[in-house]
Amino acid sequence: MQHDKVLIVDFGSQYTQLIARRVRELNIYSEIHPFNKIPTNVDDYKAVILSGSPMSVRSENAFHPDLTAIRGKKPLLGVCYGAQYLAHFSGGEVAESNTREYGRANLNFIQENEPFLEGVSEGSQVWMSHSDTIKSLPTNGKLLASTHDVKNAAYKIEGESTYAIQFHPEVYHSKDGKQILENFLVRIASVNPDWTPNAFVSETVDELKSKLGNDKVVLGLSGGVDSSVAAMLLHKAIGENLYCIFVNNGLLRKNEFTSVLEQYEGMGLNVKGVDASARFLDALAGLSDPEEKRKAIGRVFIEVFDDEAHQIQDVTWLAQGTIYPDVIESVSATGGPSATIKSHHNVGGLPDFMKLKIVEPLKALFKDEVRRVGASMEMDKQLLGRHPFPGPGLAIRILGDITAEKVRILQEVDAVFIDGLRSWNLYDKVWQAGAILLPVNSVGVMGDERTYEKVVALRAVESTDGMTADWVDLPYKFLQKVSNDIINKVKGVNRVVYDISSKPPATIEWE
Ligand code: XMP
């Protein structure tokens, strides 16, 4: 790594990943590490940021790591809990707040000529979320800014590059948050902002070249953004030694297998399309339970992939499109494991291809960064902007058992909906969209005939990471048109409904 790095110490705040993303938006590479596993090589980092936390500094089991190796030795910024802990650790006092401050607040006293707050205007809106307050500043502390309810909203420790803010600079509602982060990192800590998508591509390609040499690598393409960008990076590094496999499980969108395969071939990838639809449909026959379906699909995918990987002679590596949120070690505020709502990850035995060495070129990137890296390699905009699509595909959007006829109906319905979103310029405003085939028939009338046919639900959500989501307020005119088109064009459907549930308490998929 030839770039300056920033260490983000995570105390379990829901916003920690946002801090990392904001820092990276400044073209500065940042890494998240849990408070109880702070790397021993702090000298490798140019600056350190302490995150917020759901904890109280005053509680018995609060997170109190030793900061001796960091404070006063490295430029250090404490955010929310980070600011409180810094005060607590350095001779200040934290107490329960009389007025809890959640949400909007304004900075109403700002220290002049202070590089940390350069460009931040009087009254600047900041976002608060805390119930404790810093009652007295640490030894050598100097007040830098206040809000109406919080006197010590920003402070520094004199003689050191140590700063602290009670508010969250990482959320968009903090108007000058990014400016403050930039002041701290670039002006105060002298971090070089040179971590750009182009630099990432050229360095990653060089690293992959020296790591892989003349070795062969196999990679499963899914049609999604991550696997496609990972393939492109590897293709640039090792060309024909990258063997891509794109499996048709028969549960993709209409025409997707052929169109995506053509697109991959157009990108110059060495890709083999494997049509295993029949094998998947056989395995799904008679299954209606969502988890059973997922398991069957996972099992068959592994079998098919294993068969294909065996046909590549002397392959030694398996490439995966793993991204940063999959590998960040998270701090659990409760200490307990979270309940499994859906088994998103395929389960099964350990087939031969899984014994290969693993290469994960996107392991350091967030999803939006993967897209930017793809764009800097001039990959197709439509491919990079594609909505997420679940691995088990339409199988979990056909409630109940799956037949070839039901798949056909849903593919048609889905195509009308998605094409409609595109032609009404709504596709890019929606995070994910699709249709669900319900296991009920309803009575209708077409011409003079009574019909008794399927009901479909349409779902369109906005989200940033799929963890929470809200339904999209699509124009009535659009819904009216799509509903008419579906009922007129798709044989077997006589009713369309629109899903207006948020997640939580619902989930994005119905199964
Ligand atoms: P839920 O339904 O849990 O979905 O709100 C959140 C996101 O995950 C996707 N999803 C899956 N992805 N295998 C996948 O690869 C699965 O079994 C699976 N189930 C849900 C869903 O499409 C949404 O983007």
Side-chain angles (χ1 to χ4, degrees):
M1 180 89 181
Q2 301 150 20
H3 304 274
D4 291 341
K5 297 197 287 186
V6 172
L7 167 64
I8 297 167
V9 177
D10 182 26
F11 289 99
S13 160
Q14 56 174 328
Y15 297 132
T16 305
Q17 291 196 19
L18 261 189
I19 303 182
R21 286 168 56 180
R22 290 294 165 266
V23 171
R24 286 157 171 235
E25 282 169 15
L26 298 167
N27 293 331
I28 294 171
Y29 179 75
S30 62
E31 276 177 11
I32 299 174
H33 291 270
F35 72 93
N36 53 355
K37 290 188 189 162
I38 298 179
T40 43
N41 53 342
V42 233
D43 274 345
D44 288 357
Y45 299 88
K46 202 80 193 265
V48 181
I49 298 178
L50 308 178
S51 87
S53 174
M55 281 275 178
S56 161
V57 173
R58 298 171 299 111
S59 89
E60 232 173 64
N61 42 4
F63 307 143
H64 286 178
D66 183 8
L67 299 177
T68 325
I70 300 175
R71 215 211 80 197
K73 304 192 171 84
K74 291 262 143 200
L76 175 62
L77 172 64
V79 171
C80 195
Y81 179 95
Q84 295 174 358
Y85 180 54
L86 250 181
H88 174 91
F89 180 80
S90 316
E93 193 194 342
V94 175
E96 191 175 1
S97 176
N98 299 331
T99 47
R100 291 168 153 234
E101 236 186 2
Y102 287 98
R104 219 176 298 273
N106 298 86
L107 293 180
N108 58 9
F109 157 80
I110 296 175
Q111 178 68 42
E112 279 176 21
N113 299 325
E114 170 51 57
F116 181 66
L117 295 176
E118 179 93 21
V120 179
S121 44
E122 187 74 22
S124 179
Q125 177 179 295
V126 292
W127 204 254
M128 295 279 191
S129 177
H130 61 105
S131 52
D132 276 358
T133 197
I134 298 161
K135 207 169 156 196
S136 61
L137 292 179
T139 319
N140 298 328
K142 178 179 178 194
L143 179 63
L144 298 184
S146 309
T147 67
H148 183 267
D149 289 321
V150 178
K151 180 162 179 255
N152 295 320
Y155 67 84
K156 73 174 183 183
I157 297 183
E158 302 247 52
E160 300 177 7
S161 298
T162 301
Y163 293 80
I165 42 186
Q166 182 59 73
F167 51 89
H168 288 273
E170 66 276 21
V171 304
Y172 281 117
H173 304 283
S174 288
K175 198 181 128 280
D176 295 314
K178 202 166 164 185
Q179 178 70 56
I180 293 174
L181 287 174
E182 186 172 357
N183 290 343
F184 170 68
L185 292 170
V186 180
R187 301 196 56 167
I188 292 163
S190 305
V191 181
N192 194 358
D194 61 354
W195 189 68
T196 60
N198 280 337
F200 176 86
V201 172
S202 65
E203 283 159 29
T204 306
V205 169
D206 287 348
E207 270 167 38
L208 290 170
K209 272 186 186 154
S210 68
K211 180 174 191 168
L212 301 171
N214 289 321
D215 291 355
K216 290 184 185 173
V217 179
V218 60
L219 174 142
L221 283 168
S222 69
V225 181
D226 301 343
S227 65
S228 305
V229 174
M232 203 59 199
L233 282 166
L234 283 153
H235 173 72
K236 277 183 181 288
I238 60 168
E240 290 292 300
N241 272 343
L242 172 69
Y243 291 78
C244 301
I245 298 171
F246 181 35
V247 177
N248 183 6
N249 57 12
L251 301 154
L252 303 175
R253 299 195 133 116
K254 186 181 171 188
N255 297 335
E256 186 155 83
F257 182 57
T258 14
S259 66
V260 174
L261 193 56
E262 277 167 16
Q263 209 169 1
Y264 283 143
E265 283 162 355
M267 285 156 57
L269 295 181
N270 172 11
V271 54
K272 180 170 181 193
V274 182
D275 188 356
S277 317
R279 214 162 144 179
F280 281 91
L281 276 183
D282 278 354
L284 284 167
L287 299 183
S288 345
D289 176 79
E291 290 303 290
E292 294 290 318
K293 292 193 221 171
R294 282 190 170 85
K295 280 181 191 141
I297 292 168
R299 192 188 65 242
V300 178
F301 180 83
I302 286 173
E303 285 166 15
V304 173
F305 196 83
D306 207 29
D307 288 352
E308 291 302 323
H310 269 115
Q311 291 178 28
I312 310 163
Q313 290 225 317
D314 305 325
V315 62
T316 41
W317 295 87
L318 171 71
Q320 294 188 324
T322 317
I323 61 173
Y324 195 41
D326 304 331
V327 296
I328 297 173
E329 263 192 86
S330 57
V331 174
S332 162
T334 54
S338 53
T340 303
I341 312 291
K342 299 179 190 184
S343 60
H344 289 195
H345 294 286
N346 298 328
V347 279
L350 201 62
D352 281 352
F353 74 83
M354 283 198 170
K355 296 170 195 152
L356 299 173
K357 289 181 276 184
I358 304 282
V359 53
E360 298 169 311
L362 307 178
K363 209 168 58 175
L365 301 185
F366 288 107
K367 190 91 181 181
D368 44 341
E369 295 166 346
V370 174
R371 292 205 169 93
R372 282 207 290 277
V373 163
S376 86
M377 292 190 287
E378 290 174 2
M379 288 173 68
D380 183 66
K381 280 205 180 76
Q382 261 206 15
L383 181 68
L384 295 178
R386 292 181 75 181
H387 289 169
F389 187 68
L394 300 182
I396 54 167
R397 293 184 183 167
I398 295 173
L399 307 198
D401 70 321
I402 294 162
T403 62
E405 175 61 3
K406 288 183 186 173
V407 174
R408 183 202 64 79
I409 293 178
L410 190 56
Q411 280 179 332
E412 296 296 333
V413 171
D414 178 80
V416 175
F417 184 35
I418 300 296
D419 291 348
L421 286 171
R422 285 202 193 280
S423 61
W424 283 60
N425 266 336
L426 293 166
Y427 186 88
D428 292 331
K429 301 190 174 96
V430 169
W431 190 77
Q432 186 173 18
I436 300 99
L437 187 68
L438 306 188
V440 284
N441 281 27
S442 86
V443 174
V445 53
M446 274 186 179
D448 290 332
E449 296 285 314
R450 174 190 194 268
T451 60
Y452 188 56
E453 293 177 333
K454 287 276 170 260
V455 182
V456 292
L458 304 182
R459 180 109 167 106
V461 296
E462 46 199 32
S463 175
T464 48
D465 51 13
M467 301 299 288
T468 58
D470 207 354
W471 60 281
V472 181
D473 191 1
L474 292 173
Y476 280 176
K477 287 275 171 223
F478 168 77
L479 289 170
Q480 185 183 42
K481 169 91 172 86
V482 163
S483 164
N484 269 341
D485 285 352
I486 290 171
I487 295 170
N488 288 329
K489 289 181 186 162
V490 186
K491 200 165 164 287
V493 176
N494 68 358
R495 196 175 293 267
V496 176
V497 298
Y498 187 54
D499 181 352
I500 52 165
S501 334
S502 62
K503 171 183 181 176
T507 52
I508 296 177
E509 306 292 348
W510 282 39
E511 286 201 329

